Amino acid sequence: MERDQAQAAAIGTFDYVIVGAGSAGCVLANRLSADPSVSVALLEAGGKDNYIWIHIPIGYLYTQNNPRTDWCFKTEAEDGLNGRALNYPRGRVLGGCSSINGMLYLRGQARDYDHWRQLGNVGWSWDDVLPYFKRSEDQVRGADAFHGAGGEWRVEEMRLSWEILDAFREAAAETGIPKIDDFNRGNNEGCGYFQVNQKRGVRWSAAKGFLRPAMNRPNLKVITGAQASRIRLEGRRAVGIEFRQGNEPRFIGAAREVILATGSVGSPQLLQLSGIGPGALLGEHGIAVAQELPGVGENLQDHLQIRMAFRVEHTRTLNERANSLLGRIGMGLEYFLLKRGPLTMAPSQLGAFAKSDPARETPNLEYHVQPLSLDKFGEPPHPFPAFTASVCNLRPESRGFIRIRSNDPAAHPAIKPNYLSAAADRQVAADAMRLTRRICAAPALARFAPEEFMPGPQAQTDAELARAAGDVGTTIFHPVGTCKMGQDEMAVVDERLRVRGIGGLRIADASIMPTITSGNTNSPTIMIAERAADLIIEDGKRARSAA
């Protein structure tokens, strides 16, 4: 402790200390430091975003599961996945997950946020959050009632198309899923090409959009290579962060607030290490309980995609190009000369939102369709033309957890999503696979003779399909909910994102979602940070007026 205090003079005390320079942290650093009268520090465990593969869109193949840019977490073995454990990428670099993710711009559905409000979270309905989505958006199509232009978060069109994906879209329409060109107007039912967070064929991360424009402000200090180890508390108030830089323990003080933006894995882990969480778990690891909050690390939700692959004829897919030396050279030249072609590809190009059964009020399935196939992420494509139609349950009932394994901040926590543990999720999986087969049997795809080879047509009954889903299912990296917002006994933060029972401590990342959004979660996380910044500024003004 004495050594940490001695180091505090070198680091100093700031009004706000933000932990995590990912999607949320970059937004917070920009918005809070816009006031020159306040001082802001931003801590990031990873390094600078100067790795070339961050910026080339296809580079997610080289940034995920790479310790330079990824925490390289793994889940526990999952019963619902027939004993498999999954890699669980989380960004460890400026920009966080926005520097390594799939770049898809999606907000979810209006009903997601209206449901948050129905749970008692005032200020989080669709009408409340839409202005925050619009504020940061820089939509290539221009501004309208649902979109913004001129903001920091660039949104553009895909820069390539594929015959097989166009045919899948036609087949989806023949199956009752209409063609649409915008998934972000409140109800996303339909099929179309995703928009992406890119700028002229280059990844557009939160670090580029929000952090870089603020980096030269004298009141903002960004510290990389800084792994938080504990929130320092005085009584029932957070007063700063203990962290390690290299092998050196350091401390940075927070005069007003500590703000956690370390995500659905990092935020509950840091709370637990600091004595905030389930008392029994903390006791197992010799950590004194500062605040009993049983919900810290619980309520983990994630989207599990079921990867169905189909061999095709009479068309070319990325499989052939990627497996050919000339094809790879051509793709490289196309990118570096024109910023077009497969190197600009997000992991998925075509999307669809549909209902697993007609009784659903709004779509509960999301498709990610790709003009390629492979056994698993990171392996080479198959040596024949094929496409993959991955489908996920947008509103899973299965719940998991994040729990520390020890009191060592460097030790990865236990990550247990409990995929397909709920009977309802297994039924949705079976229904979703049947819907995929109906789409692929529609007339628009007939000339390509699609033949299912993963998981294969032998799975037919509900039980067989659920087991097959466990064999081919994988995360699409959307963990949320582990420090949920609410009023019940498992809530960790209130509707203003303040940690219950601890002053000067707030959380602003995907961990506060009470329920998962109906789509990819990166842009909703940016919205959360936008709203959090307003709440922090409002509360700061109120406190100064009262003083």
Side-chain angles (χ1 to χ4, degrees):
M1 179 71 74
E2 289 180 1
R3 186 176 183 187
D4 285 354
Q5 294 284 12
Q7 292 288 350
I11 301 298
T13 296
F14 293 75
D15 291 315
Y16 299 108
V17 175
I18 305 163
V19 189
S23 299
C26 290
V27 175
L28 290 161
N30 180 298
R31 300 305 189 219
L32 296 180
S33 68
D35 180 352
S37 72
V38 304
S39 55
V40 180
L42 177 63
L43 306 184
E44 169 55 43
K48 297 179 180 178
D49 60 335
N50 54 5
Y51 183 41
I52 188 172
W53 286 114
I54 290 173
H55 309 291
I56 300 172
I58 200 73
Y60 61 84
L61 292 169
Y62 307 103
T63 55
Q64 294 183 18
N65 305 315
N66 179 346
R68 177 170 177 168
T69 48
D70 181 6
W71 284 97
C72 298
F73 293 128
K74 288 185 75 76
T75 71
E76 303 294 289
E78 288 281 298
D79 290 344
L81 303 185
N82 305 323
R84 291 186 299 128
L86 301 179
N87 292 329
Y88 218 62
R90 297 284 87 197
R92 188 175 184 271
V93 64
L94 291 179
C97 288
S98 74
S99 289
I100 72 169
N101 71 1
M103 300 163 286
L104 302 184
Y105 180 71
L106 291 154
R107 299 171 174 176
Q109 298 173 5
R111 77 174 294 283
D112 301 332
Y113 304 101
D114 290 341
H115 179 58
W116 291 6
R117 176 62 184 87
Q118 290 159 10
L119 293 173
N121 298 300
V122 176
W124 292 93
S125 72
W126 172 250
D127 287 343
D128 293 320
V129 303
L130 180 58
Y132 290 102
F133 281 114
K134 292 172 65 177
R135 180 164 79 182
S136 58
E137 186 179 7
D138 186 18
Q139 172 60 245
V140 69
R141 301 174 186 175
D144 62 20
F146 291 93
H147 291 287
E152 295 85 354
W153 197 222
R154 182 64 176 170
V155 181
E156 294 190 353
E157 312 294 351
M158 292 275 185
R159 296 172 72 84
L160 76 171
S161 62
W162 295 85
E163 181 183 43
I164 193 66
L165 299 186
D166 293 338
F168 188 97
R169 191 180 186 207
E170 294 289 344
E174 292 171 346
T175 316
I177 305 168
K179 295 180 184 179
I180 62 171
D181 62 2
D182 189 349
F183 291 129
N184 292 300
R185 304 177 77 85
N187 183 343
N188 49 18
E189 185 168 11
C191 185
Y193 280 90
F194 291 118
Q195 287 193 300
V196 289
N197 294 118
Q198 294 181 11
K199 192 165 188 176
R200 295 188 293 274
V202 177
R203 174 189 291 274
W204 193 250
S205 69
K208 290 179 182 176
F210 295 93
L211 187 58
R212 286 186 187 176
M215 287 282 276
N216 291 327
R217 294 173 183 167
N219 61 330
L220 173 63
K221 184 178 183 66
V222 179
I223 307 172
T224 54
Q227 182 165 347
S229 52
R230 191 164 71 96
I231 304 160
R232 185 178 291 182
L233 303 173
E234 288 183 1
R236 301 177 71 81
R237 183 172 183 83
V239 297
I241 292 290
E242 297 174 18
F243 67 98
R244 298 190 75 84
Q245 198 169 27
N247 292 321
E248 293 298 315
R250 298 189 181 276
F251 172 75
I252 189 165
R256 296 186 187 175
E257 289 193 21
V258 171
I259 307 154
L260 303 189
T262 47
S264 292
V265 176
S267 288
Q269 179 188 22
L270 187 56
L271 289 176
Q272 292 168 7
L273 289 167
S274 306
I276 304 169
L281 173 67
L282 305 184
E284 286 177 24
H285 302 296
I287 299 172
V289 177
Q291 174 69 18
E292 171 82 30
L293 283 178
V296 173
E298 302 302 305
N299 192 48
L300 173 61
Q301 300 159 58
D302 192 13
H303 287 145
L304 181 77
Q305 67 174 352
I306 301 165
R307 296 173 57 246
M308 300 182 71
F310 296 80
R311 187 168 183 158
V312 291
E313 300 174 358
H314 313 303
T315 191
R316 287 180 61 80
T317 68
L318 185 57
N319 285 9
E320 301 94 284
R321 290 193 72 181
N323 284 320
S324 157
L325 177 60
L326 286 176
R328 293 194 296 272
I329 292 171
M331 289 190 292
L333 290 172
E334 190 176 7
Y335 182 77
F336 288 106
L337 294 176
L338 304 173
K339 291 296 185 290
R340 292 191 173 275
L343 269 66
T344 69
M345 283 173 57
S348 302
Q349 296 75 54
L350 187 74
F353 291 83
K355 300 174 182 178
S356 63
D357 66 75
R360 301 277 174 173
E361 177 192 355
T362 61
N364 66 319
L365 300 178
E366 178 181 6
Y367 280 89
H368 292 83
V369 192
Q370 304 120 354
L372 60 94
S373 66
L374 37 80
D375 286 332
K376 63 181 180 180
F377 185 81
E379 293 193 355
H382 292 121
F384 47 78
F387 70 91
T388 302
S390 298
V391 59
C392 76
N393 178 0
L394 289 169
R395 294 191 282 276
E397 295 185 13
S398 300
R399 295 292 184 271
F401 58 77
I402 305 286
R403 295 173 187 164
I404 54 172
R405 300 177 189 270
S406 76
N407 59 12
D408 178 3
H412 287 182
I415 301 172
K416 185 74 172 171
N418 287 323
Y419 296 118
L420 298 175
S421 58
D425 292 353
R426 296 192 293 274
Q427 184 62 56
V428 170
D431 292 342
M433 295 171 79
R434 291 190 178 103
L435 175 59
T436 307
R437 288 171 174 172
R438 289 200 298 277
I439 295 170
C440 292
L445 280 167
R447 65 191 176 98
F448 303 110
E451 179 184 349
E452 179 187 336
F453 66 93
M454 189 170 71
Q458 67 278 1
Q460 292 292 330
T461 68
D462 285 355
E464 290 169 345
L465 288 167
R467 181 167 183 82
D471 287 335
V472 299
T474 188
T475 176
I476 40 176
F477 321 127
H478 298 164
V480 308
T482 51
C483 299
K484 78 168 187 173
M485 171 175 59
Q487 284 68 46
D488 63 89
E489 68 279 0
M490 295 300 285
V492 176
V493 299
D494 65 13
E495 70 275 6
R496 297 186 75 82
L497 308 186
R498 299 170 296 197
V499 174
R500 295 186 173 277
I502 300 291
L505 182 60
R506 214 176 295 240
I507 304 174
D509 57 34
S511 72
I512 67 93
M513 294 186 186
T515 52
I516 196 166
T517 54
S518 300
N520 304 59
T521 53
N522 189 238
S523 290
T525 300
I526 285 174
M527 176 277 293
I528 288 168
E530 287 275 27
R531 176 151 173 72
D534 273 7
L535 296 173
I536 293 163
I537 292 166
E538 288 171 11
D539 289 351
K541 289 179 179 176
R542 190 176 297 119
R544 289 193 295 277
S545 297

